[in-house]
Amino acid sequence: AHQAALAARSADNLRSPICCILGHVDTGKTKLLDKIRQTNVQEGEAGGITQQIGATYFPVEAIKQKTQVVNRDGKFEFKVPGLLIIDTPGHESFSNLRSRGSSLCNIAILVVDIMHGLEPQTLESMRLLRERKTPFIVALNKIDRLYGWKKIENNGFQESLALQNKAVQNEFKNRLEQTKLAFAEQGFNSELFYQNKSMAKYVSLVPTSAHTGEGIPDMLKLIIQLTQERMVGSLMYLSEVQATVLEVKAIEGFGMTIDVILTNGILREGDRIILCGTEGVIKTNIRALLTPAPLRELRLKSQYVHNKEVKAALGVKISAPGLEGAIAGSRLLVVGPDDDEDDLEDEVEADLASLFSRVEKSGRGVSVQASTLGSLEALLDFLKDCKIPVANVGIGPVYKRDVMQCGIMLEKAPDYAVMLCFDVKVDKEAQEYADQQGVKIFTADIIYHLFDSFTKHMDELLEKKKEESKLLAVFPCVLAPVAVFNKSGPIVIGVDVVEGQLKINTPISAVRQNPVTGAKEVVDLGRVTSIERDHKQIPVCKKGQPSVAIKIEMGGNQPTYGRHLEEKDMLYSKISRASINCLKEFYRKDVTNDEWQLIIKLKPMFDIA
Ligand code: GDP
């Protein structure tokens, strides 16, 4: 009896692991979740699966039942009391994965469409899982789409595969190999789950179908197996409260509420709580702890049940005064009888400060805005890797004041008058103001798309500057005249390019000695407006190419051959400090080594230091 009591107590003290589902859009995340939740009608309610706030709870009895087909001998033992699966598939949940360094989720299911392989969001999810050291399995979903697949509803995968014809089995093998290769390219070793000898070294791939339910028993069993193997230590029930804000929502009759995942401890009505808000730390008291009313009680007035207290792990909605501006992804702390409220406030404040302090000291950089603390952190990490400087950070929708903040950059560093926004809405007035001011706003649901937008923006700016600098850029050249066709207004002459390259628009000068004083004299002739060979216009003539006829024009009074200069005078591209800088900035690639040497030779002629 004593033994039994002990066992009961320790089982009581293991909490349920928390699981996230993530992956590219349309891979079947929602459908998979629906399929697991589905109650088997013939067997009545499947052992108390409960819909929670932002999550679904599966008691171990329900999981045992759902994994029966792959555990017929009952040899697989279940040690956890249940499994909490976060409901919002996609970026919302994974960007909340981390609350201050530790992962909100103990384990993840990465869904991959077996027909499509790894897609952009799959890669992004993998990056986050790796960073956060979250163990995961891969559901290779939509196996029913393999051509000729014969289904057996809710079957174990191995048995189903054995029943397929050779062609289907071969197609499966091919796609499996392709997937393993793609994972290897990302630095992950993977293995079909029943061939995986080490869950620590290899990621398990479980083929599934959210339509037929095949492979789902395997997937559930694997998730439990992985948590039991890899994290028994971290699943001990703690009395200390650990909770993360998943979403912030206004609800009729309750005002602003927060949906919270309670990973450890107990929350009680009236508890004093502390969390991050956009206008600083929020301190308030829990007015109501709400969970959804069971389906059969929906005829009751409210869709929520009020709880005196709730115990981890679960999802719960908290109603309290002053929750406006609460930040999703924020930790939620409870002030216990022995706690100093100020200490806890500092702790929560530090979460925000650590992110907000990651801005450029120089104050020159882009502005970033993200939906949650977790996604902001992920975005900042990413931009740091890309060497994109950040000057301002924000959380939540983009409002006019955020654009104004970013607009300061229009003066300081116009290239950075850019807002990179991840998974947030842009207020209409803010967008209008941005358009008016010339602040660029880029939004995306995939972090690295923001990098692409920013890079494209920078390339466009460079193109524009190149275009604007066309008249300023002077490629160096030396011309030897061979004939004068028109002495002035405009000058038309035949020349050989003896050094460098002659381009349209190049300003041309002769550098002579004054016949009387002997002093150096620069005679500016104007700009080259046409280059012709064999009666054809060409944009450029390079050193050593056959002679060309060129036209040189000038706005005012143009010097005249025979009076201000002579036919034998060599001609030079008129360079300046500004023109050299322009070449260095925009055309470095287009100027050869010989030409840089030529520039150095020409500098003294035009008195450039
Ligand atoms: P999510 O964006 O990842 O949540 O994807 P959904 O669950 O909304 O599924 C996207 C589409 O794929 C829907 O049309 C689903 O019916 C379909 N789908 C999802 N899972 C499967 C599957 O296992 N087999 C087949 N044939 N279609 C699926």
Side-chain angles (χ1 to χ4, degrees):
H2 180 65
Q3 285 286 316
L6 260 187
R9 202 182 313 155
S10 65
D12 266 359
N13 278 342
L14 256 199
R15 70 169 176 83
S16 306
I18 299 175
C19 173
C20 284
I21 302 188
L22 37 105
H24 196 77
V25 66
D26 276 350
T27 48
K29 299 181 290 294
T30 313
K31 260 264 147 27
L32 271 174
L33 200 57
D34 285 349
K35 195 72 185 178
I36 319 173
R37 259 197 304 242
Q38 214 170 66
T39 322
N40 192 333
V41 184
Q42 279 143 1
E43 293 165 39
E45 286 209 353
I49 294 175
T50 45
Q51 180 63 45
Q52 301 187 343
I53 299 293
T56 305
Y57 183 69
F58 300 84
V60 73
E61 284 314 313
I63 297 175
K64 276 184 187 164
Q65 195 186 324
K66 283 175 184 290
T67 53
Q68 221 166 24
V69 278
V70 290
N71 189 28
R72 288 206 177 100
D73 54 10
K75 277 203 177 127
F76 181 77
E77 267 187 71
F78 293 82
K79 294 177 191 145
V80 293
L83 181 68
L84 187 72
I85 302 188
I86 307 257
D87 264 353
T88 44
H91 52 257
E92 280 168 65
S93 53
F94 83 67
S95 55
N96 275 328
L97 262 176
R98 170 148 70 175
S99 53
R100 195 145 180 266
S102 69
S103 191
L104 163 62
C105 291
N106 303 106
I107 192 156
I109 301 172
L110 177 64
V111 186
V112 171
D113 183 334
I114 193 170
M115 309 306 277
H116 292 169
L118 304 193
E119 297 174 89
Q121 258 170 305
T122 325
L123 301 184
E124 181 143 310
S125 303
M126 283 162 71
R127 206 169 52 78
L128 286 161
L129 289 169
R130 191 197 323 249
E131 263 174 23
R132 283 152 209 213
K133 299 193 170 58
T134 309
F136 67 99
I137 63 163
V138 173
L140 269 185
N141 195 33
K142 306 198 185 180
I143 48 168
D144 60 291
R145 289 189 57 202
L146 294 169
Y147 185 74
W149 183 268
K150 285 195 284 295
K151 65 170 180 181
I152 297 178
E153 299 275 342
N154 301 317
N155 203 10
F157 171 74
Q158 261 179 287
E159 218 175 81
S160 271
L161 181 69
L163 293 173
Q164 306 300 321
N165 67 35
K166 264 267 143 355
V168 177
Q169 290 185 357
N170 280 337
E171 191 191 349
F172 169 74
K173 262 188 213 139
N174 284 337
R175 293 196 182 274
L176 178 71
E177 287 313 313
Q178 279 171 22
T179 310
K180 280 161 74 169
L181 206 62
F183 271 102
E185 280 168 7
Q186 299 301 318
F188 285 101
N189 291 318
S190 58
E191 197 55 270
L192 190 57
F193 70 102
Y194 52 84
Q195 286 164 355
N196 191 353
K197 298 276 189 310
S198 162
M199 301 260 275
K201 289 195 186 127
Y202 294 87
V203 175
S204 288
L205 308 175
V206 206
T208 58
S209 165
H211 278 186
T212 69
E214 284 161 300
I216 289 182
D218 304 282
M219 182 179 89
L220 286 173
K221 184 173 154 214
L222 206 60
I223 278 284
I224 299 294
Q225 195 182 340
L226 188 55
T227 46
Q228 292 181 171
E229 267 183 29
R230 299 278 307 275
M231 55 187 60
V232 171
S234 61
L235 289 179
M236 288 306 288
Y237 183 79
L238 302 172
S239 56
E240 183 201 351
V241 173
Q242 289 178 353
T244 304
V245 178
L246 206 59
E247 268 193 85
V248 182
K249 270 193 225 152
I251 301 286
E252 214 189 307
F254 293 100
M256 199 54 85
T257 67
I258 49 177
D259 292 354
V260 166
I261 297 292
L262 180 63
T263 20
N264 245 318
I266 295 176
L267 284 178
R268 299 186 176 84
E269 216 178 71
D271 272 351
R272 182 94 176 137
I273 53 170
I274 301 186
L275 62 151
C276 293
T278 48
E279 311 297 330
V281 171
I282 296 173
K283 295 180 284 184
T284 181
N285 291 79
I286 296 178
R287 187 157 52 198
L289 283 168
L290 306 165
T291 52
L295 274 181
R296 58 192 141 74
E297 287 174 23
L298 261 188
R299 60 197 156 75
L300 296 177
K301 277 193 216 85
S302 168
Q303 62 186 118
Y304 296 110
V305 176
H306 289 248
N307 302 267
K308 282 275 166 248
E309 64 171 50
V310 292
K311 193 177 166 194
L314 94 167
V316 63
K317 183 184 280 298
I318 295 179
S319 146
L323 286 177
E324 292 75 21
I327 294 176
S330 154
R331 281 197 298 166
L332 180 134
L333 299 184
V334 173
V335 185
D338 304 327
D339 291 327
D340 180 344
E341 191 167 320
D342 291 343
D343 286 352
L344 297 186
E345 186 177 343
D346 290 349
E347 215 177 299
V348 167
E349 189 122 55
D351 287 356
L352 266 188
S354 69
L355 289 183
F356 282 75
S357 67
R358 285 177 55 178
V359 296
E360 279 304 307
K361 301 276 177 296
S362 67
R364 296 156 61 95
V366 300
S367 298
V368 301
Q369 195 94 9
S371 51
T372 69
L373 273 189
S375 59
L376 177 64
E377 187 171 23
L379 181 55
L380 287 175
D381 285 345
F382 179 75
L383 294 177
K384 190 170 166 218
D385 289 347
C386 301
K387 305 204 163 29
I388 297 177
V390 174
N392 299 301
V393 297
I395 290 181
V398 177
Y399 293 112
K400 187 172 165 185
R401 61 164 186 200
D402 303 310
V403 180
M404 285 167 82
Q405 184 70 32
C406 177
I408 295 173
M409 223 44 71
L410 286 166
E411 293 278 326
K412 260 191 180 169
D415 291 1
Y416 294 141
V418 175
M419 301 194 71
L420 302 180
C421 309
F422 176 63
D423 184 31
V424 291
K425 290 206 172 60
V426 179
D427 172 65
K428 195 162 155 257
E429 192 195 5
Q431 184 67 58
E432 282 167 8
Y433 183 72
D435 293 344
Q436 212 177 18
Q437 297 291 311
V439 170
K440 283 259 179 218
I441 301 182
F442 295 115
T443 55
D445 290 342
I446 296 183
I447 287 181
Y448 72 73
H449 282 176
L450 287 173
F451 171 74
D452 295 345
S453 304
F454 181 73
T455 312
K456 191 159 157 264
H457 164 73
M458 284 309 230
D459 288 348
E460 280 167 13
L461 282 183
L462 187 66
E463 266 319 300
K464 209 169 128 207
K465 280 192 207 155
K466 263 190 174 179
E467 193 62 36
E468 283 166 4
S469 68
K470 248 186 183 163
L471 287 179
L472 194 57
V474 177
F475 282 76
C477 65
V478 179
L479 312 176
V482 292
V484 174
F485 304 119
N486 200 43
K487 287 180 185 163
S488 188
I491 290 171
V492 181
I493 50 177
V495 296
D496 283 329
V497 178
V498 292
E499 294 279 0
Q501 52 178 313
L502 173 67
K503 291 188 161 214
I504 292 283
N505 268 326
T506 305
I508 300 293
S509 302
V511 181
R512 327 178 64 223
Q513 229 176 0
N514 185 295
V516 182
T517 64
K520 188 182 72 179
E521 227 177 49
V522 176
V523 184
D524 294 336
L525 304 184
R527 284 181 188 269
V528 173
T529 54
S530 131
I531 305 174
E532 230 181 78
R533 186 187 296 130
D534 302 331
H535 305 291
K536 271 203 210 92
Q537 290 287 335
I538 53 174
V540 55
C541 176
K542 293 191 174 171
K543 171 182 176 175
Q545 293 179 344
S547 312
V548 285
I550 63 171
K551 182 152 74 178
I552 308 175
E553 293 184 89
M554 189 180 215
N557 273 340
Q558 197 172 32
T560 304
Y561 267 96
R563 199 179 313 158
H564 304 102
L565 76 166
E566 293 171 48
E567 188 170 331
K568 67 171 181 11
D569 287 335
M570 297 293 275
L571 301 176
Y572 305 93
S573 54
K574 183 186 168 66
I575 60 171
S576 62
R577 172 47 57 196
S579 78
I580 296 171
N581 288 345
C582 177
L583 285 189
K584 280 185 182 162
E585 190 171 355
F586 302 120
Y587 298 92
R588 199 172 273 280
K589 293 195 300 284
D590 309 320
V591 181
T592 66
N593 268 340
D594 282 353
E595 288 167 350
W596 286 119
Q597 291 304 318
L598 178 57
I599 288 176
I600 293 167
K601 265 193 348 210
L602 293 181
K603 270 160 81 173
M605 279 188 203
F606 299 101
D607 299 318
I608 302 166

